[in-house]
């Protein structure tokens, strides 16, 4: 099946239908704004001659709406927004995700047709793992059906529904319908789209049908949705794909004869609907509409990003959306001369433009001259404002006030934390005074082992690199420096120098931590994979070291509980997908 | 049925059985420690002649173990702990909550009998609302059964199972068994036990059976478990009850003839097991054991606390357990002369003793002399150490360093927040230097509207009053002052004076907020009840005021996300039972 064959060459066939996938970026809670955006895309799809346009899961509420779903007025307003969208569907069919109040609450998809709601599908399988809590809100649906619209029979399901291979009535939809539309809000993590696309292609092949996957795009607190909407043909081949990490309207022509022809050759689709436990699916018949004019479609080729490119794009989108959707225009961050703050600043500039980013350099007596040079060079390369606030006077004040009470105590990390918290206070003062959002610069390796100061370098509204291991921080810095559009932003010395917090003379990260290329694989195994110590040791690491790292991770839970949100880029971040008790006497590091 | 009738007067009847409910306080993750505690209670029950002893839900892991349940080694160690407990059941039957790995994972209760595990019940209904996330971890069970032990037939279920009225096979257990044991970890909120006891009494009456409810006691992060284990007779009457907010071993004799007699008069129990959809329950037959000696039971009468007494006890237990279970010995807190810090200090002293509490008074030029007098009087009344650290020098340093960058800006809350964060830095410095846990003193009213400074007065490891509305803060202060055991701790002026943060001259809370007796009911309606603005206005409040309060609550979400945990005492606290997005454009305050 080829998406470019129509309508040129064959003229207009009644068995060719034009469909559109509207990969939009909604904002959680913004019911009027989301409805407006949906209607804009709907109008664009209509203008392009599409007969049918599909939107992502819960597009009207944004995803995930979390406990907003427990407010009756919120649900009612989302129903009103759906009515508004439905009224705008003159001459077209739209599939729109919303939360349906119908005695109980359902994660739902409305089939709106020519100004009215023709049917509503209820999500059948509710995810309740990782970042998902859908059992908290919804009743599982039990109402599969197919829809007939002119020559086309299509079915609808929602996100998790298509991940489950087992439900016989849902499977029957694949067999009965020529097109199955899956509405998703499928959050990004590295390489997730590989497994997702493989699964979707398999579902299309199993049902000998077209599968159209329409996904949300955009950032929402910890989550980034990657878009990457995609259409698969009845042999699992890709018919079309939308962009990654930006809004897109994907329009294509489907030749139903090709699905029919494929089915005649491949009888599996019949078996799906003839299992003993399959029911006869209800049919929703849409009333006929005049055929829209069909302007020719431009050929398009979208190459999905991979590796560092993909991660960097995710971080830009996550940062931009957190800032903008929370009504900030400007961000600030501390620049230390080190790589974490340099990368965070680069992402902020790519997300918001240099005029909306301010760097703050806060030297202490322990700050090396090279740090100041590198922070200055970075801010010049980026074209951002740099404010310098030395912290020495405040250090003296604290030391003096605490002299008596600390008289018999020896110096330790307390004095280092005081410095870090002085800086946190300065950054928050600028944030409060000027209404700027404070970006936090810590990375996942540091947050994992608690190599951070609560209310100090952890202070801030958004932690851009919170889920980025230090080894990937280096990859991303090199990737950004290698982009052709500008000269390298991050000074070479910032990348090459040995990591240090500069909180005491000559301090290095490796005084406290193993080298990051040793630490990161241990952290991945423990934090992301739940491996026990023995299994990590068997990878070839020193037992004592693994035990120490595991102990640090567990001990630092209280710090992470008070950390700002950050962008999830791995299968398990340090946010809502990792819920550990603070009070916890499990000691997996013990021999 | 009377619990005191046995065995005196009638001699030993074979139809009288002695059972024990072990209301223990486990620590999450402490598998060896919890197993040890279970065995101690088991030995005590055996020594008192009990034939059967029941422990709370998931007693071996502690509740809730959260994502520890995703670690295979944790599950295996909990299974090993169960084996250890089972080996200790010589001559007795124990019902023990644990997490069973059996292909998948179940929230389970083992029936351990005379050294072996005779059967395992799987929790059937998994709560996934409010603070509960059990669908995240467990597969729902489908294996109800009854157990025969000598003359006694009993059934077992777990927590949520007994709250659901509908499952026919579970209902059959009530009909078939003379005794149904419910293992719970039912977290406290105000007056929760009223509805819980009413429901449990109804279940006993419906099944014409004895219902024994054994609950966890103790604090775990945000949650406090109140104990209040209780046994209900076949007419819903209370046969015995355990203490509230402390460990207890409740032992009582059950006369099975009285259940039998009640059933002959009340045929409803037969109907329960004869519904068309009821199955025949499997029977687990325990092998006979020699009858233990039965020392006489002392009569006991436990009066459950109510009102302020109940809340105050919950706060003491929650604080003590958070401190002790996280291996702290000593706490500190800022004393301002105000009521929140005075009450927090009182609770800390009641929880830990005065020798383990340090107060820190941190005056600024805006601090009134009376505040110092009251903070000093309080610390004397409590018998705690008081450290004084003036913050004026640090205020000057910050002002000086920021002079240039703030040159054109007017004074606003930024300067107030700097003071608050200087105090936060001092308190954390003491915490870091001496290994003391910092208690935070903010109340629910402040946290709800964001009348708090992030990294300032919000700094700390544990927020004792986080779920206590200001109006209840006053009630609790008066309650504590009225206790006969000591002279009033909290100075009268602290209770009577107008609330102020003292961050600028003459500042009062009412400059920013409505009076607390107006604010608190609005907050309860919005935060706890999800009422919309209209409905709150209809209670008799000014529309503009309600809109302003609702807007403040939604706006402050980003602050609460970085707040320390605190003790839940209401049906909805500001913790894991309230999960709102930060990025949220819902505007329920809009006309």
């Amino acid at each position: 099946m080829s998406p470019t064959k129509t309508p040129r060459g064959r003229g207009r066939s009644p068995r060719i239908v034009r469909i559109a996938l509207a990969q939009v970026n909604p904002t959680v809670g913004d019911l009027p704004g989301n409805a407006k955006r949906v209607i804009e895309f709907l109008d664009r799809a209509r203008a392009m001659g599409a007969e049918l346009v599909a939107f992502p899961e819960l597009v009207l509420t944004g995803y995930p709406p979390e406990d907003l779903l427990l407010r009756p007025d919120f649900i009612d307003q989302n129903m009103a927004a759906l009515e508004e969208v439905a009224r705008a569907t003159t001459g077209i069919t739209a599939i729109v995700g919303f939360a349906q109040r119908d005695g109980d609450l359902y994660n739902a998809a409305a089939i709106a047709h020519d100004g009215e709601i023709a049917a509503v599908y209820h999500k059948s399988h509710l995810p309740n793992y990782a970042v998902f809590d859908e059992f908290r809100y919804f009743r599982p649906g039990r109402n599969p059906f197919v829809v007939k619209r002119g020559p086309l029979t299509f079915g609808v399901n929602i996100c998790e529904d298509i991940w489950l291979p087992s439900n016989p009535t849902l499977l029957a939809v694949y067999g009965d319908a020529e097109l199955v539309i899956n509405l998703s809000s499928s959050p990004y993590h590295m390489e997730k789209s590989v497994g997702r696309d493989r699964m979707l292609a398999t579902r299309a092949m199993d049902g000998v049908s077209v599968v159209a996957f329409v996904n949300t795009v955009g950032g929402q607190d910890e989550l980034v949705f990657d878009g990457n909407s995609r259409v698969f043909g009845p042999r699992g081949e890709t018919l079309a794909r939308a962009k990654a990490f930006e809004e897109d309207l994907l329009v294509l022509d489907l030749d139903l004869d090709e699905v029919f022809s494929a089915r005649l050759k491949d009888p599996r689709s019949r078996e799906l609907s003839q299992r003993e436990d399959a029911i006869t699916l209800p049919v929703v018949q849409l009333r006929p509409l005049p055929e829209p004019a069909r302007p020719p479609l431009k050929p398009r080729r979208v190459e999905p990003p991979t590796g560092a490119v993909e991660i960097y794009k995710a971080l830009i989108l996550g940062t931009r959306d957190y800032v903008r959707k929370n009504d900030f225009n400007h961000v600030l961050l501390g620049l230390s001369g080190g790589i974490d703050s340099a990368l965070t600043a680069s992402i902020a500039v790519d997300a918001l433009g240099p005029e909306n980013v301010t760097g703050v350099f806060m030297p202490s007596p322990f700050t090396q001259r090279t740090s100041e040079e590198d922070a200055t060079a970075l801010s010049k390369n980026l074209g951002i404002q740099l404010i310098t606030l030395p912290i020495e006077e405040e250090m003296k004040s604290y030391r003096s006030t605490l002299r008596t009470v600390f008289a018999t105590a020896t110096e330790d990390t307390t004095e280092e934390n005081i410095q870090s918290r002085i800086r946190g206070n300065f950054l928050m003062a600028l944030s409060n005074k000027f209404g700027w959002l404070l970006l936090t610069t810590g990375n996942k390796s540091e947050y994992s082992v608690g190599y951070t100061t609560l209310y100090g370098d952890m202070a801030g509204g958004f932690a851009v690199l919170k889920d980025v291991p230090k080894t990937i921080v280096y990859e991303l810095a090199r990737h950004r420096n290698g982009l052709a559009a500008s000269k390298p932003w991050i000074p070479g010395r910032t990348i090459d120098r040995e990591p240090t917090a500069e909180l005491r003379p000559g301090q290095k990260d490796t005084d406290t931590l193993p080298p990051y290329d040793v630490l990161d694989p241990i952290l991945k195994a423990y934090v992301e994979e739940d491996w026990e110590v023995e299994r990590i040791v068997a990878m070839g690491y020193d037992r004592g070291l693994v035990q120490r790292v595991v102990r640090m991770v567990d001990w630092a839970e209280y710090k992470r509980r008070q950390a700002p949100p950050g962008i999830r880029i791995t299968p398990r971040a340090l946010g809502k997908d990792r819920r550990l008790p603070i009070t916890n006497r499990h000691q997996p590091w013990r021999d």
Side-chain angles (χ1 to χ4, degrees), chain A:
Chain A
M1 187 163 193
S2 131
T4 54
K5 203 182 276 181
T6 60
R8 279 163 288 182
R10 291 175 58 174
R12 179 155 189 150
S13 153
R15 297 287 296 161
I16 290 175
V17 295
R18 180 166 287 189
I19 67 166
L21 305 187
Q23 177 175 296
V24 301
N25 183 348
T27 299
V28 164
D30 189 8
L31 303 166
N34 296 338
K36 185 159 170 280
R37 196 88 185 121
V38 165
I39 292 170
E40 284 167 9
F41 271 73
L42 200 157
D43 290 342
R44 283 176 56 195
R46 187 195 289 108
M48 291 183 72
E51 290 148 82
L52 187 153
V53 54
F55 292 87
E57 178 183 21
L58 286 175
V59 68
L60 292 182
T61 62
Y63 193 92
E66 301 187 81
D67 280 6
L68 291 174
L69 291 171
L70 303 182
R71 297 183 183 168
D73 61 323
F74 182 78
I75 302 299
D76 290 347
Q77 289 163 29
N78 121 96
M79 302 269 287
L82 176 71
E83 296 288 344
E84 188 192 340
V85 169
R87 282 192 297 273
T89 57
T90 310
I92 195 168
T93 306
I95 324 294
V96 184
F98 75 112
Q100 189 182 39
R101 175 180 184 161
D102 185 10
D104 207 331
L105 188 67
Y106 298 92
N107 184 336
I111 289 87
H113 179 72
D114 196 30
E116 287 173 9
I117 296 168
V120 174
Y121 171 78
H122 296 158
K123 185 176 186 176
S124 169
H125 293 90
L126 303 175
N128 207 77
Y129 53 84
V131 298
F132 302 108
D133 288 293
E134 293 201 14
F135 270 107
R136 184 173 171 87
Y137 308 109
F138 299 114
R139 182 192 286 212
R142 293 284 178 269
N143 72 339
F145 54 82
V146 291
V147 184
K148 288 190 184 290
R149 187 200 193 283
L152 171 69
T153 304
F154 70 91
V156 169
N157 58 29
I158 303 179
C159 207
E160 192 79 358
D161 286 335
I162 207 165
W163 289 82
L164 275 290
S166 60
N167 182 324
T169 53
L170 282 188
L171 287 180
V173 175
Y174 298 97
D176 281 10
E178 290 143 329
L179 165 66
V180 174
I181 301 167
N182 177 264
L183 278 53
S184 278
S185 286
S186 178
Y188 167 79
H189 62 71
M190 282 188 267
E191 295 174 11
K192 178 167 179 181
S193 64
V194 175
R196 194 173 61 200
D197 288 348
R198 196 171 52 205
M199 176 277 296
L200 292 166
T202 304
R203 296 285 179 267
M205 206 177 65
D206 288 348
V208 197
S209 53
V210 175
V211 166
F213 163 76
V214 54
N215 193 20
T216 297
V217 72
Q220 169 60 27
D221 289 351
E222 300 175 347
L223 303 181
V224 171
F225 300 89
D226 54 322
N228 273 317
S229 299
R230 197 158 163 180
V231 183
F232 298 86
R235 290 183 304 276
E237 76 279 23
T238 296
L239 299 183
R241 64 187 305 161
K243 294 174 188 162
F245 302 111
E246 50 186 301
E247 286 192 322
D248 200 2
L249 181 67
L250 180 63
V251 183
L252 74 159
D253 291 326
L254 296 181
D255 187 340
L256 303 179
D257 282 345
E258 297 209 13
V259 179
F260 186 61
S261 170
R263 286 188 174 180
L264 294 177
K265 297 188 194 86
D266 185 342
R268 276 182 304 163
S269 61
R270 296 179 199 158
E271 288 175 25
L272 277 176
S273 48
Q274 285 170 13
R275 283 177 51 158
E276 269 183 35
D277 50 0
I279 58 167
T280 302
L281 292 170
V283 176
V284 175
Q285 178 73 55
L286 302 183
R287 64 166 180 271
L289 293 179
E291 288 187 348
R294 280 196 191 147
L297 296 179
K298 284 187 208 130
R300 49 186 275 160
R301 182 160 184 82
V302 171
E303 282 300 327
T306 56
V309 184
E310 177 191 288
I311 299 170
Y312 196 82
K313 277 181 182 282
L315 296 174
I316 292 175
L317 179 59
T319 302
R320 183 192 296 130
D321 273 9
Y322 190 87
V323 173
R324 294 274 163 82
K325 291 180 177 180
N326 282 292
D327 298 319
F328 286 95
N329 295 314
H330 197 104
V331 299
L332 80 158
L333 74 168
L335 296 184
S336 67
I339 191 165
D340 297 316
S341 56
L343 179 63
T344 305
S346 303
I347 292 166
V349 167
D350 278 324
L352 306 166
E355 68 282 8
N356 294 317
V357 180
T358 294
V360 185
F361 183 67
M362 294 169 287
S364 82
F366 309 130
T367 305
Q368 294 170 319
R369 189 200 188 89
T370 51
S371 296
E372 177 156 20
E373 290 167 5
D374 293 343
T376 307
L378 175 77
S379 58
K380 282 198 181 130
N381 295 344
L382 294 173
I384 63 172
Q385 180 192 19
L386 183 68
I387 293 173
T388 298
L389 297 171
I391 67 167
E392 187 165 8
E393 288 309 309
E394 289 73 19
M395 287 170 66
K396 282 185 194 158
S397 301
Y398 280 100
R399 199 179 305 128
S400 159
T401 307
L402 286 166
R403 184 159 293 142
T404 312
V405 68
F406 282 1
T408 58
T410 50
E411 285 220 354
D412 56 15
T413 52
T414 303
E415 284 73 17
E416 302 179 20
N417 287 332
I418 288 173
Q419 294 168 56
S420 184
R421 292 191 182 111
I422 291 169
R423 294 192 174 107
N425 202 343
F426 274 128
L427 292 168
M428 287 303 295
L430 293 167
S431 168
N432 291 163
K433 185 65 85 185
F434 300 119
W436 299 341
L437 178 71
L438 174 56
L439 297 182
T440 311
T441 61
N443 60 60
K444 187 177 195 176
S445 311
E446 293 172 350
Y447 277 99
S448 295
V449 294
Y451 192 67
T452 55
T453 300
L454 205 49
Y455 323 132
D457 59 341
M458 287 177 70
F462 198 61
V464 175
L465 306 180
K466 187 178 176 187
D467 196 34
V468 183
K470 185 83 171 193
T471 44
I472 297 185
V473 167
Y474 283 100
E475 279 183 48
L476 295 176
R478 292 197 191 92
H479 156 67
R480 186 60 189 81
N481 270 6
L483 289 186
S486 58
K487 72 166 192 171
W489 278 352
I490 300 173
R493 194 164 55 191
T494 292
I495 297 179
D496 296 334
R497 80 178 200 178
E498 205 168 340
T500 166
E502 291 197 326
L503 293 169
R504 59 173 187 264
Q507 185 178 31
K508 291 180 240 160
D509 288 12
T510 48
D511 298 346
T512 309
L513 305 176
Y516 287 106
D517 58 352
V518 172
L519 178 61
D520 281 355
I522 296 173
L523 290 175
K524 183 174 164 58
Y526 186 61
V527 173
E528 294 179 32
E529 311 284 353
D530 291 310
W531 285 18
E532 59 185 310
V533 167
E534 283 313 313
R535 198 169 165 192
I536 304 173
V537 169
M539 290 165 72
Y541 295 102
D542 176 73
R543 179 182 308 274
L545 172 66
V546 174
Q547 289 173 328
R548 191 160 68 85
V549 169
V550 162
R551 185 173 191 161
M552 289 172 88
V553 171
D554 278 11
W555 168 83
E557 197 55 42
Y558 77 100
K559 291 192 187 181
R560 285 189 292 270
R561 196 64 68 90
Q562 295 188 40
I567 304 163
R568 177 174 179 256
I569 65 154
T570 71
R572 185 181 289 164
L574 303 172
K576 66 193 286 193
D577 45 349
R578 186 170 180 279
R579 306 179 188 175
L580 282 164
I582 297 175
T583 305
N584 170 16
R585 285 208 172 131
H586 188 222
Q587 304 187 326
W589 59 83
R590 285 276 291 274
D591 274 325

